[in-house]
Amino acid sequence: MPVWIGLALFCATIAAMESFAWAMHRWVMHGPGWFLHASHHRARSGWFEWNDLYAVIFAIPSIILLYGGVQAGWWPGSTWIGAGIAGYGAIYFGFHDVIVHQRVAHRYVPRSRYMKRIVQAHRLHHAVESKHGTVSFGFLWAPPAEELKRQLKVNKGLARFRANPD
């Protein structure tokens, strides 16, 4: 397989992973998988939280594809796709765990409009501690903060309406 096709697969996989991660975060982590993800919406005591198991779960397809493409003689694109999944995981770790949640000490301060926007969006996501009513489920793309703040107000109003339907 030509390297340029492999690189295209790698980049396309990273881009596709954002949609996959959004859907998993929205419909699984804030749905039936909340029993693990809830730990991430509470103050962490110690180095790990139950939510970290998702990193292990999401690494499995990457490991399988890398193994299949490198060792088991599968289609060569498997290696590039597996590497793309791993690449997204590395970007996620750097952005989410290091920059936003500061699980690794650093002195980086977001200065670009893009970085400020995604950090703010993630902080707005954590403004809600339950699995319902939160906003912004992506990691590399986020709507403007003003839009998310409006949606949080709407969600808060809907939660009050549901709690008191009179």
Side-chain angles (χ1 to χ4, degrees), residues 97-159:
D97 291 332
V98 176
I99 293 172
V100 175
H101 292 290
Q102 299 183 357
R103 292 177 75 175
V104 176
H106 65 83
R107 294 183 181 185
Y108 174 77
V109 176
R111 300 202 193 287
S112 73
R113 285 182 19 208
Y114 169 75
M115 287 303 292
K116 287 178 182 178
R117 180 173 167 165
I118 58 175
V119 168
Q120 179 69 14
H122 197 76
R123 291 196 174 130
L124 288 169
H125 173 78
H126 281 273
V128 176
E129 293 182 9
S130 74
K131 71 179 185 176
H132 301 292
T134 194
V135 295
S136 189
F137 296 94
F139 298 107
L140 301 180
W141 180 86
E146 297 74 32
E147 184 179 322
L148 295 173
K149 288 175 186 177
R150 279 193 300 276
Q151 187 60 48
L152 277 171
K153 284 183 183 178
V154 168
N155 292 352
K156 192 173 184 179
L158 288 174

Side-chain angles (χ1 to χ4, degrees), residues 44-98:
R44 183 174 23 90
S45 60
W47 184 255
F48 293 103
E49 55 193 42
W50 284 105
N51 184 67
D52 293 336
L53 288 176
Y54 280 117
V56 175
I57 293 166
F58 296 147
I60 292 169
S62 175
I63 293 165
I64 291 170
L65 287 166
L66 286 167
Y67 175 81
V70 172
Q71 294 292 322
W74 294 2
W75 173 60
S78 301
T79 304
W80 292 97
I81 293 169
I85 295 169
Y88 184 85
I91 293 166
Y92 169 86
F93 175 78
F95 164 69
H96 182 262
D97 291 332
V98 176

Side-chain angles (χ1 to χ4, degrees), residues 2-18:
V3 172
W4 71 269
I5 293 176
L7 288 172
L9 275 172
F10 175 81
C11 292
T13 300
I14 289 175
M17 283 301 296
E18 178 66 0

